[in-house]
Amino acid sequence: MAEHRTMQRAALLEAARTLLSEGGTEALTFPALAERTGLARSSVYEYFRSRAAVVEELCAVDFPVWAAEVETAMERAEGAEAKIEAYVRRQLALVGDRRHRAVVAISAGELDAGAREKIRAAHGGLIAMVVEALATLGHEQPRLSAVLLQGVVDAAVRRIELGAAEDPERITEAAVAMALRGVRG
């Protein structure tokens, strides 16, 4: 029975990812989750008490996986500048990934304080990975530099997500160039 519940919970999260990546936060409704999974709407409430609870669980499950991919790319890179480049490139390479799209849709949504705090904590972990590389390069305020660097990444993510006129590869190269010029001071 517990295994069946685990499978249904996983199916609900998968449906939530799809809804978020297709239609943003507005698309994530309990009737839509019920329809996508073939469960009764009342059954969806047995797993999650609210949309925010669905979002919190998605963040708890997906963000660490996504962050680990960025961390792995950074660990493979030799030297501080290469680590920063890997940090930017890996995040932008993950834009098409549905887990990432869901997290992006969530970040933009109106969520309760608990869900927002989980996202902030996960983002903080991601930024902490690059602070060390910036400190190695001699930045006096590596934390501030890391936050600003993430701002460049976030802007590039939004540009790619919007299907901007530029090719995603071009956006990535421009973001990498800007980041590396910026970190060299």
Side-chain angles (χ1 to χ4, degrees), residues 5 57 71 86 106 124 155 173:
R5 285 191 63 80
E57 178 114 356
E71 192 168 10
I106 287 163
E173 293 310 319

Side-chain angles (χ1 to χ4, degrees), residues 75-91:
E75 284 167 359
R76 288 190 183 130
E78 292 290 326
E81 274 194 26
K83 287 184 185 307
I84 289 163
E85 180 171 350
Y87 174 82
V88 175
R89 281 191 189 282
R90 193 70 203 124
Q91 285 191 68

Side-chain angles (χ1 to χ4, degrees), residues 3 11 13 17 20 22 31 44 49-50 55 61 65 75 79 87 94 99 104 108 111 118 137 156 177:
E3 190 179 324
L13 289 176
R17 276 183 203 102
L20 283 165
E22 287 173 0
V44 177
R49 68 191 184 289
S50 65
V55 162
V61 170
V65 173
E75 284 167 359
Y87 174 82
L94 289 167
R99 286 170 316 196
V104 169
L111 300 170
K118 273 202 171 78
L137 288 172

Side-chain angles (χ1 to χ4, degrees), residues 62-75 82-104 107 119-120 122-131 133-134 145-161 168-169 171-173 175-176 179 183:
D62 289 353
F63 213 108
V65 173
W66 183 63
E69 290 188 37
V70 176
E71 192 168 10
T72 299
M74 288 181 74
E75 284 167 359
K83 287 184 185 307
I84 289 163
E85 180 171 350
Y87 174 82
V88 175
R89 281 191 189 282
R90 193 70 203 124
Q91 285 191 68
L92 296 180
L94 289 167
V95 170
D97 184 297
R98 281 169 56 253
R99 286 170 316 196
H100 177 261
R101 293 185 70 137
V103 171
V104 169
S107 304
I119 291 166
R120 247 197 305 281
H123 253 285
L126 204 52
I127 286 173
M129 293 189 293
V130 87
V131 169
L134 289 161
S145 298
V147 171
L148 295 174
L149 174 64
Q150 186 59 43
V152 170
V153 174
D154 292 344
V157 164
R158 279 192 301 278
R159 193 96 185 133
I160 293 169
E161 284 281 333
E169 189 60 35
I171 296 168
T172 298
E173 293 310 319
V176 167
V183 300

